Amino acid sequence: MADIIQLLPDHVANQIAAGEVVQRPSSVVKELLENAIDAQSTSIKLIVKDAGKTLIQVIDDGKGMSTTDARLSFERHATSKIRTAEDLFQLNTKGFRGEALASIAAIAHVELKTKQEQDEVGSSIIIEGSEVVEQEVVVTPVGTSISVKNLFFNIPARRNFLKSNQVELRHIIDEFHRVALAHPNITFEMYHNGSEMFQLPESNYRQRIVNIFGSKTNEKLVPVEEDTEVLKISGFVGKPQFAKKSRGEQFFFVNNRFIKSAYLNHAITSAFEGLLKDGAHASYFLNLKVNPKTIDINIHPTKTEIKFDDEQTLYAILRASVKHSLGQFNIAPVLDFERDSNLDTPYGFKDKNANSPSIEVNRNFNPFQEEKATASRTQMSYKKEVAGNWEGLYVGLESKGTKSQQDFSEIQFESDEQTVSMFQNEHAIGQQQSTFQLHNKYIISKIKSGMLVIDQHRAHQRILYEDFLKNITVKEAMSQQLLFPLALHFSPQHMTIINQIKEDLEHTGFVFANLTNESLEITGVPVSVPESEVSIILEQLINDIENEVPDSNFSATDLLTKSMSKSLAIKTGQSLTIQEQEYMVNKLFACKEPNVSPNHRPTFVTMTLDELDRKFL
């Protein structure tokens, strides 16, 4: 039998490796930024076009590479970071596998320009699909500039799996945030389609957070500091009142490397126990310093998951540190909120014994000596008072005449109402009532063949969805003006999204004023939107657009109406009156598609009398 096992060609092996390393344009951004940091750069510039599908360019002022190193950097398993297997457990650099550039070059057009400080000229290499097209000497500044063009040009199937530019750009921004937050001592710049998105100068950690997420973030931060033999913690957590519905502002850095850890996240959640509303997630920006020998980074291709030797100890220290910081800055509740310091026991009386009070008894006291005199005086004054006002007792009786008897006969006592049978009342009400609410979740409505069981949350979503869609299409939505303008603050990238959907929001009834780079004022809201829900609605809307819920095949208008209907629909557990239940039923079946919610889930089910009868067989 012939041999069937053979070695894969290099370009095929590189494409297979690219499937693990390069999942989307943000993966390329991550690898290139980390390489620039390992090159000891002080300034890094990221340039992106079409959300990275057309161009990803990273320019740094680091050490640069020689001509030989520039060529070897695109070979598989070629790295300057490690020499032996033991080095894997003493890593202080970002990259170490030597697969990133080789994988990227296998699925894109790559151009590299690099120059070391002691050299007069630099090197330029152009690679297309793992093939070196050109290599020459060029004049270039000190450092490295690498451009990745036409990602997945030779793997169209992978390119078709990419999401829209809005979603891919959000992933790139997420990676940019993770790298920039881990290194506040480096200047970062980011440009997308020629417009500046971030300009982050060298600063301290707190200022870096503020520069990324907006100036309003400064007042939300609570510092966390802890230094032990096992773990050193530094950073900030967000105040509970500023917690958000999404998990966007949650960052763990271990030895300046961003990681994801559900276990450590649970430690933060536990520290905030009792301080957050239902469904809210705390913000945190925490740096953890541990001995590199106690962690294993090489367990995941993206290196965002690592393994700790002693997770339980880290969990306990992290939870205690965050809890201490929240209490130290008067964030966590205390037992007595209005304690008066004047009532505290002075330190001078702390160890003194209390003196027993002395009791004196008058043994000659007789309580009956003046009883008669007092009683007579009381009786005399009482008689005198009644005698003087006896005529006032009969004032008004003649005017009522015979109606006094009738008035007394019409008096109804509260006890009479309580004695009426509850079953008689329920029967009378049930004859008139056509809908019932079950567990504050379902509405039961009678029909000829049986009954309908309606999910009140999904049904209201469908009603609101069609109303908003009609308002945006017709552009005649009703708006209620606010007595005082509502000021809201968002990060610059979120304000960009709001500006994109501003016109559609105005067609639903929102009225905007004074939009800036980080804030906006709302002077009017749709009639059905309470003022207290506006910020929650906009946050949910921004989150849905960033994640493109449900998917990229739907228009922005459809996405907007679905997000708003989801935020404003009545929730499970809300009690409805009979009129509200009937309105819900009538309004639902007046919709064009009453059978399903905007997310294509059933809004009601029917149960016939025959089905009920079979239950009793």
Side-chain angles (χ1 to χ4, degrees), residues 35-45 58-65 113-117 141-146 185-189 202:
N35 286 342
I37 292 170
D38 287 340
Q40 301 176 7
S41 306
T42 60
S43 178
I44 300 175
K45 181 185 295 185
V58 173
I59 305 171
D60 66 64
D61 61 351
K63 296 185 298 184
M65 291 181 285
K113 294 181 180 180
T114 183
K115 175 179 174 292
Q116 293 181 318
E117 187 176 3
V142 175
T144 302
S145 171
I146 182 167
N185 58 325
I186 299 177
T187 300
F188 285 91
E189 301 174 40
E202 179 182 354

Side-chain angles (χ1 to χ4, degrees), residues 173-244:
I173 291 175
D174 286 345
E175 292 294 347
F176 182 80
H177 286 172
R178 294 166 183 175
V179 175
L181 284 171
H183 301 275
N185 58 325
I186 299 177
T187 300
F188 285 91
E189 301 174 40
M190 179 177 172
Y191 299 86
H192 180 246
N193 290 342
S195 61
E196 179 185 296
M197 296 197 68
F198 293 97
Q199 183 70 250
L200 308 176
E202 179 182 354
S203 61
N204 57 32
Y205 191 47
R206 188 183 193 115
Q207 189 61 43
R208 176 56 57 89
I209 296 173
V210 171
N211 288 338
I212 291 177
F213 295 102
S215 56
K216 200 69 176 178
T217 312
N218 190 37
E219 66 184 52
K220 305 177 184 179
L221 301 178
V222 176
V224 179
E225 294 286 341
E226 191 65 45
D227 193 354
T228 66
E229 295 181 357
V230 179
L231 174 67
K232 181 179 180 180
I233 304 174
S234 63
F236 302 90
V237 295
K239 295 179 181 178
Q241 61 265 35
F242 298 106
K244 296 185 176 181

